[in-house]
Every structure is written in structure tokens, then in C-alpha cells.
Amino acid sequence: MLRNVLLAVAAACIGVSAASAQGAGANFPSKPIRVIVPFPPGQSADIIVRLLADKIKKQSGATVVVENKPGGNAIIGASEAARARPDGYTLLMAGTTAMSAAASMNANLPYDPVKSFTPVTGVALNSYVLVVKPDYPANSVQDIVELARKSPGKLSFGSGNQSSRMAAELFKTMTGVELLHIPYQGTEQAMSDLVNGQITMMFNGVMTSNPYLKRKDLKALGVSSQAREPELPDVPVIGDTVAGYSFIAWQGLVAPAGVPRETVATLNRLFTDALKDGEIYARLNGLGMTVWPVSQEELGKVIAEDKVKWRMLVTKAGIPVVQ
Amino acid sequence: MTLVESLLAGFSVAATPSNLLFCLLGVTLGTLIGVLPGLGPTATISLLLPFTFGLDPVTSLIMLAGIYYGAQYGGSTTAILINLPGEASSVVTCLDGYQMARQGRAGTALTIAALGSLFAGIVGSFVIALWGPVLADFARGFSSPEYFALMVLGLVAAIVLAQGSLLNAIAAIMMGMFIGLIGIDRTSGVARYTFGQPELFDGIGFVPVAMGVFGLVEIAVNLEQTQGKRQVLSQVGRLWLTRDDVAKAYRAVLRGTGIGCLLGILPGGGAVLGSFASYALERRVSRDPARFGHGAIEGVAGPESANNAAAQTSFIPLLTLGIPSNGIMALLMGAMMVQGIAPGPEVMTSRPELFWGLIASMLIGNLLLVVINLPMIGIWVKLLHVPYRILFPTILIVCCVGVYTLNNSIFEVVVMAGFGVFGYAMRKSGCEGAPFLLGLILGPLMEEHLRRAMLISFGDPSVFVTRPVSAVLLLIAVLLFAFAVIPSVSLMRAKTFEED
């Protein structure tokens, strides 16, 4: 932490001396690029950016500085990024929480996920797996749907974060079954309650579920992605049963709206080059994620789609919007 | 894995050069702040918290734990030498320790305090090693009703065991619970008392509050009290114990260790309670209670053993259940959570190196403490001469930097300052900071578990009494609360009898 402060100070000093000489264009980046991470140090988003910063330094010599601005469900950090100068030197490590969830659950969000930002690049994807107790009388997604139809509102699902909840809410709306939502702070306690039979099911991250599945403390019924997960080759896709179902949480880098096109292109190249590196690929897999080195246009499309999809879900599920 | 194998694995973690270094750093720092009156382990740990996030989780826990039990050693030094408790848990050590020093037996008193603490510390560490896994197995069956009952018990215990007025303790807890309401409600998603400020969505941060209520208030109170000349005894006397001393003290050490271990485990318990209970017990079992208060070695040996034993065993609820039994454990819980470790029964299986490494480090740390304390008493005494006008601005700056770097947020520095003022007002009106902090931590957890338990049971409140563990815990809470009320009843009865 102290190191970060010192780094930031050093970065600021370099920035001042270099600022006079730089314009937009060919010599970008001529000073350190600041990435605002709206989560505390040590969370996956933070670790990913630090890994990327290290790799970029080695690949191109450009300096990327991480600045943690946690709190307010990522709204604090995202607001600051939205207000920053659109010169390409301030980026936001955005994702489902800061964009999709914040926009659909807050009436007075100080920014708009689409209008306030310029998409830069996708970074990582995280899919979910539907898990139940091993002795639960359901062996497929179809079984769960039938059981839930027989006793509406008696089957429950736990969630430790908004994305996990939304994966289940989408499942609810697409199958038309009634499930009771039991919210948790973090997935640990929810997993423990699931193993103890307090709750029926949960949509949980593939990697965090893996140890439970290996110990046979839980069994997997389906994955939320469009294709089978490499870590869980035997688990079918939920979309096979529930046509059109797909839910993936994403992380990506965005800049304040109005960054010049060529600067965005340079940034995209810097980060996607790092993401395509074998070591980064392996590290992200270790964190339970798949690298997602896509163009700015593709990230922009996902952000816009998510905004609509999540708002619809929030309305249908009756989740209260923060005023 | 057997206990021996686990412990050996723990030693392999604790004995790495960096972990040994941070263990030494922690216990040295702990002794130092223990010696210095006015800077307690709670304030110190909260000051250091942001700086530990860059460390490996095991390393940071080893150091922070070292500060806590190290302070139990250091606290006795000032209590014995200048009749000033360096720590709250050393208050009773003053009673007989200072008298012993006046009789020229300061060395004996310091030695028995250190050796008693060493014995208690080692026993306490083994209690964690033996009971920890058992309790964790038991805790695995815990769900929301049990957690709710446990939180209730913790809050009741905090009320009953608080010093001073019962009403003040309840008021402090209630205030803590109210502050804990701020933020977005996790169950329903409704924003409470946030006034649309994203800074308040996650609620009021625990660390800035703790630093305000403990660190800043401590400084204010210290400045307020006139820095009068303190009499320091130049004569420390011989360090070794006589045969007579040993004969008198060893039973007290054993009893102190036992009572400390037991009270440490209890939610709301900890070192302070252990030392008071042990002193009371020693007086009661002594054949010659009149010696107490006039330099009885049992009066030093018992409480000093008890506070260190309790300091070790108070880790059990945190490490096995994920429930902090006192303010310091709550700080450590925060430290673990920031590192991405959710304290609870899972820790022992998912992070065995953390659990066993910490226990092994406690054994090493206790040995280090004796080595530090005995030969270095002369140096510790000199530190008492550091003028407070130099010390307090340093502490203040470290507080502000520490809170800011936590989340890079000026808002939290303001929160700390605000709670510094609030904490001062509380202190002046006779409310303790600890129950307030426990209310702030346990309140939101209690609400969360209550509501979740009700959701899972489809609104049937009988789950709390039909599930056996929850029922027993609630029963204990009720009995404990009754005890707190009964003394006034028995006092009335005593008066009535006197008139007969």
C-alpha cells in the first residue's frame, strides 16, 4: 500500500515534467497510465490489472499505475473515472458490477455506462455453474425446473454477489418458475449453507465451485456459458434445456468519453497484447476466468446490451432500485 | 493429520525468515506499546492494518497477533514499575506488583509476570490447537439461526462484562448497532441513511471508526491529563525467584491460566476479563487474603497468566467460527477479510497453513517475549521518558495516513476525525468504546442472520428454539442477562438481611 502511494507520487512527478511536451497521437503514452480499480487491493479485478501492468511494462515499456478507489458497489471509482480528463491516461477497470449492476439498480447514478465512457478492451469473462447438494433429487436442469413447478416458491437459491443473483434471476424469468432468493455477503457462507441443505441451489463461479465438486460436497447441473467449460467438460450447458439462456460476468477497460480514436486503438493494442500472453492466460484461469481480448466495438456492444438486459431483469425480479 | 504433524507443518510456516522477523517485530512492538501507557494494542493494530495488506496473509496475521499478546507482557512492566497500567488488562497487576516493587522486589515481580505469561501463552496456544479443530467441526453445522443466537450471546456478554454502568454499556451497543444500519441493506437492497452518497453505500467503515474511537480519543485523554512527574523506581532488584516465591506462585499461575483460557473463548471475553477474574479468584482461595494489596506474589502471577492465556484463546472464536470475541479480534477479522480470507470453519481446511502457522508463531512469539522482556527491562523503563509532545503528533499523522491509504479516501479520514470527537464525548459520559464497536460489528451480522434464518424458515420464528445449538446459546444469553440484573436484587436482599 505504501508502495502504491510512493508509486503514485513518483508517477505524478514524471507526469508533470512530461505533460508540456505531449499532444494526442504518435508518442502516446508519454507518461504513466492510471487505471482506477473500484475494488480494494487483492480482489480479482485488482490482481488482473496488476498482472497486466507488469506484463505491459515488460512488453512495451509503458507504465501502468493501479489506483484503488473501492466502495459504493464500485460507483465511487467509476464516477471518478467518468469525470477524469479524456486524454487516455485515466482508465477504469469496469465490469458487470460498475456498469450493468450499478446502472440497473440505482436511480441517480452519477454516470451512464454507455454515454460517459469510451470502451477500450475486454479483459476477462467469468461464467457460472448451477450447483446443488449431491443427494438432492435432481440430476439435470430439467429436473430442477420440474421440481420448482411442483412446489412454487419452496425451492431457494443463494447468492453471494449481484452477478450470481442475476444468473439465477435470468433463469427464473426464462423458465417461469418461482424460486426464493436468499442473499449472502460473500459466497463462503452461502456455500456452507448449500452443503448443509439450508438452501436448494446456487449459481456460483466455476472456479470457486470446483473444489466442492471435486470433494463431492456439491454436484453441478449446468453451466451458464454458451459452450461447455474446459474445467467442467461433463457438465452440460443450461442453454440446452432453457433455450437462449446465457449469463456471463465480464471485466473490461473503459476510458472517459471523448478519448481520440487513435489513442483508444493504441491502448487496445497495449492491453490485448498483454492479455494474449501465455502467462496471463494461465494466471487468469487460476483466478477462475477466461481472457477476453476483444475490440473496443465488441466491448461497447456488451455494455449496451447488458444495460438493457439487466434493467429488464431488475424490473421483472422486483429488485428495489436505490433512490 | 495428527496434532504433531499439523504443528510441525505450522512451524515450517512460522519459522521462515520473513515470518520469524515479523513475529519478532510484532511482539517487540506489542511489548513497546504495552509498556507505553496510552497506546494500546487496539489502536496500534488499527494503525498498522493498512500497512499489512501488502504482506502475505499469514505474515500479517502473525505480526498483528504478536502485537496483541506482546502487549500483555509489556503492560505488566509499567504497572509494576510505576503503578501505571500500560494496558487495561494490567490494572490489577498494579495492586500487588507496585507494592512488591516498593519493597525492592520489582525484579521478582517482573520475572514472575513474564514466566507466568510464558506458561499461560504456551498452554493457551495448545488449547487452540486441541480445541480449535473440534470447535470448527461443531461450527460447520452452524447456519443462520445458530449464528444469530451466537451474536445475541456475544452482545449480551459485552453488556454484562462491560465495566461501569449497565445502562451505559447497553447505550453504547445500541449506538454501535445504529451506526451499523447505515448503508445498503444486503437482504433487500434498500439504501438506509445514505443520503444518496455512494461513500455510505457500504456503511461506515470499521477501521476509521476504531481509529477514531480508540486512537484519537486515547491521545486526547492523555493530553488532557497533566503530564506530572512520574516516579520511576531506579532499583529493579534481583530477577530470580526464591523457592518460597515459586511455592506461592505456581498454583496461582495454573489457576490463572485455566480461568484465562476459559474466559478467552467466551464471546465478549478477553484479556481484561481474565485478569480481573483471576485476581478475584486468588483472593478467594488464599489462606491469608489480607496479604493482597501489600505485595502478594499470587496477585501478580495469577492475573498476568490469565491475561495472556485469554489473549491466546480469544483467537478460537475468530479462527473457528469467524466471530470476533472482542474489538481486537474484530480488527484481525477485518485484516483477514481484506486479504480475501473469510474467517470461519472453512479456514482450517482451506488455509491450514494460516491456522497452524499462527499457532506455531504464538509458541515462538511467547519465547521471544521472555527473551525480550527479562534482559531489556532497563531499556523499556527509559522509553517512558519520551515526551508526549513528540509522541502524539507522530501518532496523529500515522493515523491519518493509515486511514487514507485504506481506500484512498478523504471521506474516511473525516469519518475517523468525526468518531474521534464522538468517542471523546462517549468517554466523558462514561460509555466504553469496546461495546460500541462490538455493536457496530455484531449488529449488522445479527440482523443479516436473523432475516436470513426467517427467510429460510418461511417466516417461522420457532427455528431459533427448535434447533438445539441455537436454543442452548439463546438460553445461555438469557441466563447471563439475568445474572447482570440479579446483583442489584441480591444487594437489596443483603440490605434487608442486615436490618434483621
Side-chain angles (χ1 to χ4, degrees):
Chain A
M1 185 47 84
L2 187 63
R3 201 171 133 258
N4 292 345
V5 175
L6 290 175
L7 269 179
V9 171
C13 295
I14 298 163
V16 169
S17 60
S20 51
Q22 58 107 29
N27 58 350
F28 181 89
S30 59
K31 61 174 183 176
I33 300 161
R34 176 173 75 128
V35 178
I36 296 178
V37 174
F39 299 102
Q43 287 211 351
S44 66
D46 175 74
I47 296 169
I48 294 171
V49 180
R50 285 176 201 277
L51 288 172
L52 288 175
D54 193 46
K55 186 55 69 185
I56 289 171
K57 184 89 202 163
K58 282 180 194 148
Q59 282 181 343
S60 68
T63 307
V64 175
V65 184
V66 180
E67 191 177 315
N68 299 94
K69 284 272 175 187
N73 294 332
I75 295 173
I76 294 172
S79 312
E80 187 173 323
R83 285 193 305 264
R85 263 175 54 178
D87 54 6
Y89 289 106
T90 302
L91 302 179
L92 169 72
M93 182 61 167
T96 331
T97 312
M99 298 299 197
S100 329
S104 55
M105 293 182 196
N106 289 277
N108 301 307
L109 197 67
Y111 56 88
D112 182 289
V114 178
K115 287 178 199 146
S116 308
F117 297 101
T118 317
V120 173
T121 177
V123 172
L125 296 175
N126 182 13
S127 45
Y128 291 81
V129 53
L130 173 57
V131 284
V132 294
K133 247 176 83 164
D135 56 0
Y136 192 74
N139 289 309
S140 67
V141 175
Q142 190 56 43
D143 291 352
I144 278 278
V145 174
E146 275 163 20
L147 279 169
R149 288 230 169 90
K150 268 182 218 153
S151 45
K154 291 290 173 196
L155 272 59
S156 59
F157 71 91
S159 75
N161 55 55
Q162 297 296 3
S163 298
S164 156
R165 174 178 188 181
M166 281 303 159
E169 296 286 0
L170 184 67
F171 182 76
K172 265 172 68 180
T173 46
M174 293 188 74
T175 54
V177 297
E178 253 184 80
L179 302 171
L180 178 68
H181 175 224
I182 314 285
Y184 291 83
Q185 286 197 50
T187 46
E188 294 256 342
Q189 179 70 41
M191 296 293 265
S192 157
D193 270 10
L194 184 59
V195 174
N196 287 332
Q198 294 286 306
I199 51 176
T200 320
M201 70 187 97
M202 191 164 153
F203 284 77
N204 197 44
V206 169
M207 270 307 151
T208 38
S209 306
N210 232 345
Y212 290 85
L213 297 172
K214 280 187 186 141
R215 285 202 305 264
K216 302 239 183 298
D217 274 346
L218 292 176
K219 71 180 168 193
L221 300 185
V223 289
S224 71
S225 44
Q226 279 158 340
R228 288 191 183 212
E229 287 294 319
E231 287 82 15
L232 304 169
D234 304 333
V235 182
V237 173
I238 296 174
D240 290 349
T241 315
V242 185
Y245 180 92
S246 137
F247 187 93
I248 295 170
W250 58 270
Q251 310 208 47
L253 287 161
V254 297
V259 176
R261 279 192 71 85
E262 55 273 34
T263 309
V264 173
T266 312
L267 282 168
N268 183 281
R269 204 165 340 103
L270 268 183
F271 281 95
T272 46
D273 280 353
L275 280 166
K276 283 171 186 160
D277 184 272
E279 190 198 343
I280 296 286
Y281 180 90
R283 288 269 195 154
L284 256 64
N285 266 346
L287 288 167
M289 276 166 285
T290 322
V291 289
W292 191 41
V294 295
S295 69
Q296 53 268 46
E297 289 80 17
E298 201 167 334
L299 175 63
K301 216 179 92 194
V302 169
I303 295 176
E305 278 173 7
D306 258 24
K307 194 184 158 189
V308 179
K309 189 169 162 186
W310 278 64
R311 188 160 296 258
M312 178 207 79
L313 266 178
V314 165
T315 315
K316 275 197 180 166
I319 298 165
V321 173
V322 174
Q323 294 301 315
Chain B
M1 256 200 306
T2 66
L3 180 68
V4 178
E5 280 169 13
S6 304
L7 268 178
L8 282 177
F11 273 109
S12 71
V13 174
T16 61
S18 79
N19 283 348
L20 271 180
L21 179 74
F22 277 98
C23 182
L24 180 67
L25 202 71
V27 295
T28 312
L29 209 62
T31 312
L32 187 69
I33 55 137
V35 169
L36 288 172
L39 195 58
T42 316
T44 312
I45 292 172
S46 54
L47 287 179
L48 284 173
L49 212 50
F51 299 106
T52 62
F53 297 161
L55 297 173
D56 182 74
V58 186
T59 311
S60 74
L61 257 190
I62 284 176
M63 183 182 75
L64 295 175
I67 293 174
Y68 181 39
Y69 59 80
Q72 311 309 323
Y73 278 77
S76 60
T77 309
T78 14
I80 291 166
L81 290 176
I82 54 170
N83 198 22
L84 197 67
E87 287 321 311
S89 55
S90 301
V91 170
V92 287
T93 310
C94 287
L95 300 175
D96 281 280
Y98 184 62
Q99 292 305 321
M100 283 181 76
R102 283 185 60 180
Q103 295 158 11
R105 291 161 68 211
T108 311
L110 289 168
T111 306
I112 192 65
L115 293 182
S117 292
L118 172 69
F119 176 77
I122 288 172
V123 172
S125 305
F126 275 109
V127 169
I128 307 179
L130 285 168
W131 283 28
V134 178
L135 262 171
D137 262 350
F138 176 66
R140 244 182 275 275
F142 267 47
S143 186
S144 287
E146 286 78 18
Y147 277 110
F148 169 74
L150 199 62
M151 304 294 163
V152 172
L153 179 60
L155 284 182
V156 168
I159 293 172
V160 173
L161 306 176
Q163 291 139 311
S165 144
L166 199 68
L167 206 61
N168 281 359
I170 293 174
I173 284 177
M174 291 295 171
M175 280 190 286
M177 288 170 89
F178 174 77
I179 301 292
L181 286 178
I182 296 171
I184 292 179
D185 171 35
R186 300 277 173 172
T187 313
S188 67
V190 173
R192 296 194 288 209
Y193 304 103
T194 60
F195 307 102
Q197 296 299 310
E199 279 88 355
L200 289 171
F201 281 6
D202 298 335
I204 298 279
F206 166 70
V207 177
V209 172
M211 284 169 81
V213 169
F214 287 106
L216 298 194
V217 171
E218 212 57 61
I219 294 171
V221 170
N222 272 315
L223 284 176
E224 198 174 63
Q225 288 160 357
T226 46
Q227 299 286 303
K229 279 179 194 159
R230 289 170 183 161
Q231 203 190 349
V232 180
L233 300 167
S234 51
Q235 202 76 37
V236 172
R238 50 181 291 184
L239 291 176
W240 297 114
L241 306 174
T242 62
R243 193 171 292 241
D244 180 46
D245 289 333
V246 175
K248 274 183 185 153
Y250 86 94
R251 282 174 205 276
V253 169
L254 287 177
R255 279 190 294 261
T257 303
I259 204 165
C261 282
L262 216 70
L263 290 175
I265 300 171
L266 206 71
V272 182
L273 185 71
S275 63
F276 276 94
S278 163
Y279 192 79
L281 181 73
E282 287 311 311
R283 265 184 91 144
R284 188 157 298 174
V285 298
S286 172
R287 284 198 201 102
D288 186 12
R291 286 194 303 114
F292 281 81
H294 300 283
I297 194 168
E298 304 96 301
V300 176
E304 280 302 317
S305 308
N307 68 24
N308 205 40
Q312 314 287 341
T313 56
S314 58
F315 279 88
I316 290 179
L318 176 71
L319 291 174
T320 61
L321 300 174
I323 291 169
S325 58
N326 55 42
I328 289 167
M329 292 302 125
L331 274 171
L332 290 176
M333 180 167 167
M336 287 171 81
M337 290 176 43
V338 167
Q339 299 264 19
I341 301 161
E346 285 294 316
V347 170
M348 223 173 297
T349 44
S350 64
R351 306 288 303 257
E353 85 284 2
L354 189 123
F355 182 78
W356 295 104
L358 184 63
I359 291 173
S361 89
M362 285 176 174
L363 293 170
I364 296 172
N366 273 294
L367 279 171
L368 286 174
L369 277 164
V370 172
V371 175
I372 295 169
N373 273 277
L374 287 187
M376 286 173 76
I377 285 164
I379 298 171
W380 295 131
V381 175
K382 280 206 182 69
L383 267 170
L384 294 168
H385 297 297
V386 174
Y388 204 64
R389 65 188 156 79
I390 294 171
L391 203 58
F392 92 84
T394 318
I395 301 173
L396 213 55
I397 291 166
V398 173
C399 279
C400 291
V401 173
V403 165
Y404 178 76
T405 50
L406 204 60
N407 284 335
N408 290 338
S409 154
I410 293 286
F411 179 78
E412 302 218 304
V413 181
V414 177
V415 168
M416 175 183 72
F419 276 94
V421 176
F422 177 79
Y424 184 75
M426 266 194 359
R427 176 79 67 99
K428 285 291 153 188
S429 52
C431 281
E432 278 185 272
F436 170 75
L437 222 54
L438 275 169
L440 174 65
I441 296 157
L442 294 183
L445 284 173
M446 195 165 104
E447 185 202 353
E448 189 194 327
H449 287 296
L450 169 68
R451 292 171 66 180
R452 189 182 299 137
M454 296 295 282
L455 267 177
I456 292 176
S457 72
F458 298 101
D460 178 9
S462 68
V463 278
F464 297 109
V465 284
T466 49
R467 289 174 69 103
V469 176
S470 145
V472 168
L473 289 172
L474 284 175
L475 186 70
I476 297 173
V478 170
L479 288 178
L480 207 59
F481 195 74
F483 263 117
V485 187
I486 282 167
S488 55
V489 178
S490 57
L491 203 73
M492 268 162 47
R493 279 180 47 167
K495 276 186 182 162
T496 325
F497 278 98
E498 260 173 55
E499 281 164 17
D500 281 346

